[in-house]
Amino acid sequence: MKPSWAETALYLNLLVANGGLGNSVSREEIVNLFRPFGLLESVTMEEQMPHCFVTFSDVEFATNAVKALNGHQLSTGSTAHQNVTLYVSYVDKDPTQGTKLPKWIMWGIYSVAYFQQFIEVMKNVPRNLKHRKVKHFGYDFNYDTNNVDINRPLEEPMPTLLRDVIDRIMQTGHVTYRPDQVTVNQYLPGQGIPPHVDTHSAFEDSIVSLSLGSMVSMEFSHPDGTQHSKVLPPRSLLVMTGESRYLWNHGITPRKHDVVAEAGGDDGMTLATRGIRTSFTFRAVRGRPCQCAFPSKCDSQTDMPAQPKAEPSKPEVQKPNSEAEAMELEERQVHRFTMRSPLTSVTLATNPGLMYPIS
Ligand SMILES: O=C(O)CCC(=O)C(=O)O
Ligand SMILES: [Fe+2]
């Protein structure tokens, strides 16, 4: 089957020509216009510029907004500007450019039918870890040693589907070593993965995670204490290279909702309910010691204190012992947020793809 990304290239980032501060269009007008299409990740407006950038948290939201709003006329009403016609188009802009944060590739290049085949892969896999389901291709990942045995590749060949994606990943130019190991993680709402750095000696530099199904918020933390959460929208690729691969911890807090910032420029927060998320992590096994510039996190260069195991989950801060306790903890955390800022509740589709076939 011909993969549909061959014809389809959609992005989460939109350029809104004529929708800028330079045309006296306000942030509020842009947010009000775009928000009905789905959760907004950001609205970027610069002084005097005649355009702005809108980033959605899901490719489908962006697709629908482009269809509906390209050519839309913003009328004067009570606002400062004359009638302006907005021209909305996709833009391939990397919002993490120039920062040390993980690279973020906004992609919606695969059709839904194509993705559905990926999720099928997990259907017959038993729930084999306490906190999530996993399956490995290429090489097994050993959760006791947090490593792979390079001398024991799996007999099952890498499925064509995954080889297609790997080709596509290589075409981005962000990845030096061709991935030959794939770990599929399937998380139910309430499940997660403890903060960790993928073992340096096990895998080469670039680590790529493709998210399918529900969005989730991934937490990144730097040894200097810097914390950063990033919403991973469905059908997006996260590429961790350099510092973000070797130094920053990444993890997913086990909870059923994520508190997500709204893009209005104020302190608006939205509570997003998690659905089932399936992620595909693409890595290249290393088979030789790591010589990175981050010895404090490098098992090849330092006697590392044992990493928190990816399974079973080890508590970082507060760990609920039962489902009831987990719910209570979550209630408390969510409640704290509610007190600080008004929350609107939004349930994101578990598999938005099924609802909006592209091709
Ligand atoms: O689910 C993800 O996107 C990340 C998985 C991960 O970090 C891992 O398997 O090492
Ligand atoms: Fe990881």
Side-chain angles (χ1 to χ4, degrees):
M1 181 188 163
K2 192 172 175 211
S4 304
W5 51 257
E7 297 93 36
T8 320
L10 302 174
Y11 300 92
L12 296 161
N13 296 307
L14 303 179
L15 168 71
V16 187
N18 292 336
L21 296 174
N23 288 1
S24 305
V25 173
S26 68
R27 173 179 288 275
E28 194 187 356
E29 279 177 288
I30 293 292
V31 171
N32 288 342
L33 198 59
F34 283 83
R35 186 149 50 186
F37 294 90
L39 191 62
L40 290 171
E41 173 120 327
S42 65
V43 173
T44 310
M45 299 183 98
E46 288 167 90
E47 282 310 317
Q48 298 182 356
M49 286 297 175
H51 59 260
C52 71
F53 296 98
V54 172
T55 303
F56 276 97
S57 58
D58 186 310
V59 171
E60 307 297 346
F61 303 156
T63 312
N64 292 337
V66 171
K67 278 191 202 142
L69 297 180
N70 187 29
H72 179 87
Q73 220 178 47
L74 263 188
S75 50
T76 33
S78 57
T79 54
H81 57 76
Q82 300 298 308
N83 283 352
V84 286
T85 305
L86 303 179
Y87 295 100
V88 186
S89 56
Y90 301 106
V91 58
D92 185 8
K93 172 178 156 265
D94 177 2
T96 61
Q97 223 162 29
T99 73
K100 62 180 177 182
L101 293 175
K103 281 206 187 308
W104 183 245
I105 299 186
M106 306 292 192
W107 260 11
I109 50 170
Y110 299 91
S111 79
V112 169
Y114 189 69
F115 276 137
Q116 203 47 41
Q117 302 175 68
F118 281 62
I119 294 173
E120 298 291 317
V121 164
M122 294 306 275
K123 279 242 169 86
N124 298 325
V125 175
R127 195 142 291 286
N128 46 5
L129 293 188
K130 196 166 152 215
H131 295 286
R132 60 190 195 279
K133 232 183 195 188
V134 291
K135 180 169 170 61
H136 305 289
F137 293 96
Y139 293 84
D140 240 337
F141 185 80
N142 181 332
Y143 289 101
D144 290 324
T145 59
N146 278 333
N147 219 315
V148 288
D149 184 346
I150 194 151
N151 298 313
R152 293 183 58 197
L154 293 171
E155 271 171 29
E156 185 189 353
M158 187 68 79
T160 315
L161 275 179
L162 298 183
R163 273 193 279 120
D164 280 342
V165 183
I166 292 170
D167 286 344
R168 188 68 187 167
I169 286 170
M170 294 312 289
Q171 284 165 23
T172 68
H174 290 290
V175 173
T176 315
Y177 298 93
R178 188 180 168 85
D180 53 4
Q181 195 275 342
V182 181
T183 296
V184 191
N185 284 289
Q186 193 166 73
Y187 307 84
L188 299 177
Q191 297 183 327
I193 185 165
H196 65 280
V197 173
D198 289 21
T199 313
H200 287 204
S201 63
F203 304 111
E204 297 285 1
D205 186 356
S206 307
I207 292 180
V208 180
S209 181
L210 168 68
S211 295
L212 299 182
S214 173
M215 58 72 82
V216 79
S217 181
M218 187 174 263
E219 317 295 335
F220 295 92
S221 53
H222 190 278
D224 71 6
T226 311
Q227 305 261 355
H228 179 73
S229 6
K230 182 78 206 152
V231 169
L232 307 186
R235 296 197 286 151
S236 60
L237 275 190
L238 172 78
V239 184
M240 291 180 276
T241 56
E243 200 169 281
S244 60
R245 182 267 181 267
Y246 289 123
L247 194 60
W248 288 69
N249 273 346
H250 59 276
I252 297 170
T253 309
R255 54 181 183 226
K256 291 187 176 159
H257 306 92
D258 286 306
V259 180
V260 191
E262 269 280 25
D266 47 25
D267 288 335
M269 303 294 264
T270 294
L271 191 59
T273 304
R274 287 188 192 169
I276 299 174
R277 171 172 179 269
T278 308
S279 71
F280 287 71
T281 304
F282 295 86
R283 303 178 278 205
V285 300
R286 184 186 283 275
R288 62 196 160 88
C290 175
Q291 295 181 312
C292 68
F294 308 95
S296 66
K297 293 273 182 168
C298 184
D299 62 311
S300 294
Q301 301 180 58
T302 321
D303 281 337
M304 298 280 299
Q307 273 262 357
K309 291 224 177 71
E311 175 65 28
S313 161
K314 212 169 141 196
E316 258 265 298
V317 264
Q318 256 177 306
K319 169 90 187 303
N321 291 316
S322 65
E323 182 72 3
E325 231 179 279
M327 286 179 70
E328 195 198 310
L329 184 63
E330 181 169 17
E331 274 295 300
R332 279 210 308 272
Q333 285 175 350
V334 168
H335 192 63
R336 276 215 307 275
F337 269 108
T338 322
M339 311 254 285
R340 270 200 261 129
S341 53
L343 283 174
T344 48
S345 185
V346 55
T347 301
L348 298 174
T350 299
N351 187 343
L354 284 176
M355 293 162 59
Y356 311 95
I358 295 174
S359 57

